[in-house]
Amino acid sequence: MTALGVTREEVTRLRLLFSGFGLAAVFLLGWLAYVQVAQAGKIARKGRAPLPLDASTADAQGQRSERVPAPRGTIVDRRGSLLAVDCESYEVRAAIAVPAALRVDAIAYRAWLARLIDALSMALVADPELADRGDARRRHCARLAATLHRELRTGELPAAGRIADNHPMRADVLVASRVDSLPVVEALRRLGEEKWMQTVALHFLRAFDRAYPERDLTYGLVGHTESRWVGAGASAALETRGVSGLETLSDLQPAPSTSRPFLADGRRNPYFLAPLGDAPMPTVLHSTIDLDLQRVAVKELAAQAEAGAREGKVTIPKWGAMVLVEIATGDVLAAASWHRDAKNPATAQFTPAQALYEPGSVVKPLVLAYANEAGKLDWSAEFDCAPGSADYRERIAGLGRRKPVRDDHDCHVLDAHGIVVNSSNIGAAYVGLMLEREEWEDYMACFGFGRKLGWSLPHSVGGANKRSFARDIPLRSFKANSAISFSFGYELQVNTMQLARAYLRLFRGRDAELRLVRGAEVGGAWQPAPAAPSGRAFRAEVVDAVRAAMADVVSADPHATGVYLHGRMLKELGIDLHGVVGGKTGTAASTIGIPGRGSVSVRNASFVGFLPADAPRWLAVCVLQKDDSARFYGGSYAAPPAVRLLLQCQQLEERRLLRQESQDVPSGQVRDASGSPGDTGWSNAAPESNRSGR
């Protein structure tokens, strides 16, 4: 025993313990020296390159990153209201490897798969704000079960026992797209961390869900896009397809995806190292659409199209279209579409750009304007438009035309002004016969008939009738048929947008085009869209003469084709339209071919109007088509909604000016939005049928 009362055995044990500590330290130092010196700072790994032991490797072990796609950008109307916007979301994919142990028992395999389907479905309804979680869970179960059973070919499994060695045990499937609920994301992440899920890898691919706040109002103009991730993991790529409308513009093409680093804490919860600083600023595309006016146009067109069905007097049309244009800029302020089969994707159309029709008498002002501009028509010259007159027999019947030309009411001696006001087919035919075939071809080019708009609207069409100009058709036959028919809007196929463009060219020049984009904010900088072109203008006296005639169309003159419209608006709104709104009515009876139905007779009621009558600022075109024999006229059916839209244009602008409404858009850029008013205040009375409107 020592002086301290410690035995020799205890001293020996302490010496051995501290000697062990010393040997451990020497071992660790030696091992570190071996790793750092002998192995040159690397650890060999079987089948892989040696792992360097340095600070960067240590950092990499704790850091992760996720792919972050760039947004497409935002589309707004001319006053900054959202039309299309990116909403962040996830596409969740699962790389499934069935545990090898389950290959020996088909029953256990099915049970494991059922558990996986149930667990995924439960996680997908983790959002506490989901209205009917039970029903949603059943739908997810059915969808995932169908997908997994197809990919893993469970129908080929034996009832029990071992599964064949060549049976697939792996699958890469889409669990859900457009997942934007954080509770759902967290539930899926927790599920992926469970021990029994270790053979299932869940990939969370960040994406943007394209949202259209006013989809029902603007689908044909704004268009659509369908984007989804293809592949999974490091090889995943965001693919965009099905693009149309404004969504096709290059300014909205997203930049390449980037990555954002994050670390995992002790519980493996990710947290970001820093904000995503290198993401490009999304483009803001400013369209010409005025959402207030678009809403009015859709409402007015639908009310007119459905009025007959409500009253039980008239069958509803097959389709309708209405377009509103600002003449000074060519900006399309509104474009409404109505279709009887709108709920059937196979037949529904964006009618302003897709539905073709024979325009009828609404083209007469264009024909007379062209003939006057070309020096073929003296505006003050008079024509005997009486049926069976000597002029008729010589100029029209003498050509051998099989189908006689008739007017809705008997006309007599008319000048060009009277031909427009009375909508005389005979008078228009006289003028049309003054033009040579080459001039008719130039007429078509001048007003853009047969030429597309140059927009990427869904399935937009060109129209016209190129066969009419075939050189194998004798000139006499061309005059007897095409030249006469063209004069009052037959043997010609157009859509509503093209007709609006044609009248825009009358007022702005033969190369004028409609415009859907005012500009874009790219990288925070404002880039105005090119001004809509306007080529060689018609002489002022030509435009003034046509404008004055169209102003008298909408009057109390009993022979004017807008007399019904004039009386109706005076009764409903207390407004005398004469001198306020100018316009031209049109009605055409056509035969068209419909797949599965053969030849079908249709009637097209159309109206072109402008306001103010003395200095046109806004232009509206409305068309409705019926596929039955009901009496159907442009003055009584197509004109009222177009005129209401024009009047509401002016009314809203006056209110905006009184309020000195700000023109600032959300980005802070200041835009000139003059000429884009709109309102929803007018009533919609059903049409009366006391007199035909032509």
Side-chain angles (χ1 to χ4, degrees):
M1 180 177 294
T2 65
L4 295 176
V6 180
T7 64
R8 293 184 181 276
E9 291 78 5
E10 291 173 336
V11 171
T12 302
R13 285 196 296 270
L14 290 172
R15 287 175 177 172
L16 290 173
L17 178 61
F18 283 104
S19 297
F21 288 152
L23 290 173
V26 171
F27 171 77
L28 290 175
L29 289 173
W31 184 79
L32 290 174
Y34 170 76
V35 169
Q36 294 290 336
V37 179
Q39 288 196 339
K42 296 181 181 179
I43 294 179
R45 295 184 294 178
K46 186 177 180 179
R48 291 185 293 173
L51 180 67
L53 298 179
D54 52 28
S56 61
T57 300
D59 291 340
Q61 294 294 313
Q63 291 184 6
R64 296 291 185 271
S65 65
E66 66 173 354
R67 297 189 65 184
V68 182
R72 285 184 60 80
T74 302
I75 302 176
V76 299
D77 83 336
R78 65 195 288 120
R79 294 185 175 274
S81 298
L82 285 175
L83 304 179
V85 64
D86 292 308
C87 298
E88 290 191 69
S89 64
Y90 281 98
E91 181 172 293
V92 184
R93 302 190 69 89
I96 301 170
V98 180
L102 298 179
R103 189 178 286 277
V104 300
D105 189 346
I107 296 177
Y109 179 107
R110 290 191 180 91
W112 181 88
L113 192 59
R115 182 183 181 186
L116 175 63
I117 293 170
D118 183 71
L120 289 172
S121 301
M122 179 64 76
L124 290 173
V125 296
D127 189 346
E129 297 182 3
L130 194 61
D132 190 343
R133 300 176 67 186
D135 183 61
R137 182 183 177 189
R138 285 189 292 273
R139 291 197 304 270
H140 284 306
C141 275
R143 176 180 57 83
L144 291 171
T147 301
L148 289 174
H149 289 315
R150 181 182 64 251
E151 295 295 323
L152 294 172
R153 291 161 41 189
T154 57
E156 302 174 12
L157 292 174
R162 184 175 179 81
I163 301 170
D165 292 340
N166 62 351
H167 189 85
M169 302 288 281
R170 293 179 177 274
D172 187 338
V173 299
L174 174 67
V175 175
S177 59
R178 300 179 178 177
V179 178
D180 57 2
S181 170
L182 291 179
V184 171
V185 173
E186 289 303 314
L188 288 167
R189 291 192 187 278
R190 287 195 301 268
L191 176 62
E193 295 172 359
E194 294 187 14
K195 186 175 181 180
W196 71 276
M197 286 277 292
Q198 60 184 347
T199 61
V200 178
L202 294 179
H203 299 287
F204 295 84
L205 305 172
R206 292 178 63 89
F208 286 100
D209 185 16
R210 199 69 168 155
Y212 302 96
E214 302 291 347
R215 174 76 175 184
D216 291 342
L217 296 177
T218 62
Y219 75 94
L221 295 170
V222 175
H224 60 84
T225 178
E226 178 187 353
S227 300
R228 60 175 300 177
W229 285 95
V230 178
S235 62
L238 191 66
E239 182 179 275
T240 302
R241 46 191 169 180
V243 186
S244 68
L246 289 175
E247 290 281 23
T248 62
L249 297 182
S250 59
D251 285 339
L252 290 173
Q253 299 304 312
S257 60
T258 183
S259 62
R260 175 162 54 177
F262 61 87
L263 289 173
D265 62 17
R267 295 185 178 182
R268 299 177 63 189
N269 295 319
Y271 62 92
F272 295 109
L273 294 176
L276 187 61
D278 59 346
M281 182 180 295
T283 296
V284 180
L285 185 73
H286 292 256
S287 71
T288 64
I289 303 167
D290 187 313
L291 194 55
D292 289 335
L293 287 173
Q294 180 70 15
R295 186 174 289 107
V296 173
V298 170
K299 173 187 173 183
E300 293 288 354
L301 181 64
Q304 184 66 46
E306 297 166 6
R310 290 198 304 270
E311 292 190 353
K313 294 181 180 179
V314 184
T315 56
I316 65 175
K318 178 183 178 183
W319 61 262
M322 187 154 64
V323 176
L324 179 68
V325 178
E326 184 179 58
I327 294 174
T329 60
D331 288 356
V332 176
L333 304 179
S337 180
W338 186 92
H339 202 283
R340 188 171 61 203
D341 300 322
K343 295 182 179 179
N344 183 355
T347 57
Q349 298 176 313
F350 178 60
T351 51
Q354 288 181 262
L356 292 173
Y357 62 96
E358 288 183 306
S361 295
V362 291
V363 304
K364 288 174 183 174
L366 302 178
V367 174
L368 271 63
Y370 181 89
N372 193 9
E373 180 72 20
K376 296 298 183 73
L377 170 66
D378 180 353
W379 199 258
S380 61
E382 295 183 336
F383 303 87
D384 187 352
C385 299
S389 67
D391 282 350
Y392 180 90
R393 292 194 301 271
E394 177 184 351
R395 299 185 187 187
I396 297 177
L399 292 172
R401 180 181 171 88
R402 290 176 296 177
K403 190 174 182 179
V405 178
R406 296 190 177 93
D407 287 335
D408 186 79
H409 63 277
D410 286 347
C411 300
H412 297 284
V413 177
L414 297 174
D415 58 11
H417 184 101
I419 291 173
V420 174
V421 173
N422 287 262
S423 195
S424 172
N425 292 335
I426 294 174
Y430 289 158
V431 176
L433 289 171
M434 296 176 178
L435 302 177
E436 302 298 331
R437 177 155 49 186
E438 293 75 17
E439 289 173 315
W440 273 114
E441 287 186 278
D442 185 63
Y443 162 87
M444 297 294 177
C446 172
F447 292 114
F449 294 136
R451 300 186 181 184
K452 292 186 178 182
L453 298 167
W455 300 340
S456 298
L457 295 173
H459 310 296
S460 57
V461 292
N465 188 346
K466 297 180 180 179
R467 177 59 186 162
S468 301
F469 297 103
R471 296 308 175 189
D472 60 342
I473 296 177
L475 182 59
R476 181 183 177 86
S477 176
F478 173 83
K479 285 183 171 292
N481 297 289
S482 298
I484 292 177
S485 296
F486 289 157
S487 302
F488 42 82
Y490 280 81
E491 204 175 310
L492 170 67
Q493 293 284 318
V494 301
N495 60 47
T496 313
M497 288 284 193
Q498 290 172 325
L499 188 58
R501 179 178 63 181
Y503 269 89
L504 180 68
R505 291 185 171 188
L506 173 65
F507 291 116
R508 293 195 66 224
R510 62 180 296 155
D511 293 323
E513 291 288 345
L514 301 176
R515 191 173 72 154
L516 269 181
V517 178
R518 302 177 64 229
E521 293 174 71
V522 181
W526 172 250
Q527 297 181 3
S534 56
R536 189 174 76 248
F538 284 79
R539 299 194 314 274
E541 57 267 28
V542 174
V543 177
D544 286 344
V546 173
R547 178 193 52 74
M550 294 178 71
D552 285 347
V553 167
V554 186
S555 69
D557 183 344
H559 294 120
T561 59
V563 64
Y564 170 84
L565 171 70
H566 179 271
R568 177 171 175 175
M569 294 297 105
L570 185 61
K571 178 181 178 181
E572 290 182 6
L573 306 178
I575 298 176
D576 183 347
L577 292 182
H578 188 215
V580 177
V581 174
K584 182 68 189 77
T585 64
T587 305
S590 308
T591 300
I592 63 173
I594 299 178
R597 293 181 58 187
S599 296
V600 176
S601 296
V602 298
R603 291 178 70 87
N604 308 316
S606 56
F607 178 77
V608 175
F610 54 82
L611 183 150
D614 57 346
R617 186 174 179 184
W618 300 290
L619 170 72
V621 180
C622 183
V623 182
L624 292 158
Q625 184 181 94
K626 286 191 175 183
D627 53 355
D628 56 31
S629 58
R631 294 176 68 81
F632 198 51
Y633 298 97
S636 54
Y637 285 90
V643 168
R644 291 193 191 99
L645 181 59
L646 287 168
L647 292 173
Q648 290 179 67
C649 263
Q650 190 173 51
Q651 187 184 59
L652 181 59
E653 184 190 36
E654 290 172 355
R655 289 206 302 268
R656 285 175 173 170
L657 291 175
L658 285 173
R659 292 195 305 264
Q660 295 184 343
E661 189 173 85
S662 170
Q663 305 297 319
D664 291 349
V665 295
S667 65
Q669 299 285 353
V670 178
R671 310 283 177 261
D672 176 15
S674 60
S676 59
D679 187 25
T680 57
W682 293 101
S683 62
N684 289 290
E688 301 175 9
S689 302
N690 57 1
R691 186 187 188 281
S692 68
R694 297 173 293 281

